Amino acid sequence: MKRKTRRLYMVLVGLCALGAVAAIVLAALEDDIVFFFSPTEIMEKDVIPADQRIRIGGLVESGSVTKAADGVTNLFSVTDMANTIEVQYKGILPDLFREGQGVVTEGYFQGKTLIADEVLAKHDENYMPPEVAEALKKSGKWKEGEPISEALKNGHVPDDAKPAKEY
């Protein structure tokens, strides 16, 4: 066997081994690779372990933002226009946080409520994280170019939230 042919075989074997390792790593991290889940994806999951850290993204539902009696805990709902998840967050909300705006929250489920330890608000009135926009487009509730606040005003938010599944 020529030296050049042997080198080619070694490179091909190395690339195959690298591809196999990458496939195994991606398969092992399947659920952890997702940037966040939409409320609908959360509802479709069978069981979410209490110790599993989860990110959900969507819009802050109009009329859902309240402050608990302690003055520090914020309660609000995140919706993708099809399903809604209740969120509890203890701390100061970002300046850009408001009803009808895009948000990504991260934390752990306790019953049907996400106990968030991090809340990220969108950048400006025209920006929406691509994943949130895609989830809203899939639900057929938002068209690109239409301001989110207009979609909410036009009645695209469900009047009554669907009952949440037990987690």
Side-chain angles (χ1 to χ4, degrees), residues 6 9 15 24 44 46 75-76 85 94 100 111 113 129 140 142-143:
R6 192 174 348 158
Y9 284 137
L15 287 175
I24 290 170
E44 290 171 355
D46 293 331
L75 306 165
F76 57 93
I85 299 285
T113 303
W142 179 65
K143 296 179 185 102

Side-chain angles (χ1 to χ4, degrees), residues 135-150:
L136 292 173
K137 286 177 195 173
K138 276 186 195 174
S139 71
K141 305 293 184 182
W142 179 65
K143 296 179 185 102
E144 193 162 356
E146 177 184 13
I148 295 301
S149 56
E150 288 301 314

Side-chain angles (χ1 to χ4, degrees), residues 27-47:
L29 300 175
E30 185 177 344
D31 280 343
D32 295 333
I33 291 175
V34 175
F35 178 66
F36 71 85
F37 295 101
S38 71
T40 298
E41 291 170 327
I42 296 289
M43 295 295 187
E44 290 171 355
K45 281 187 163 281
D46 293 331
V47 176

Side-chain angles (χ1 to χ4, degrees), residues 70-112:
D70 65 4
V72 179
T73 304
N74 300 285
L75 306 165
F76 57 93
S77 299
V78 175
T79 184
D80 63 358
M81 310 294 200
N83 288 294
T84 302
I85 299 285
E86 300 297 320
V87 179
Q88 178 180 327
Y89 175 69
K90 194 172 212 171
I92 298 172
L93 291 168
D95 290 338
L96 296 174
F97 179 91
R98 62 184 161 269
E99 295 176 352
Q101 299 297 322
V103 68
V104 175
T105 60
E106 187 173 350
Y108 300 91
F109 269 99
Q110 186 176 52
K112 298 176 186 178

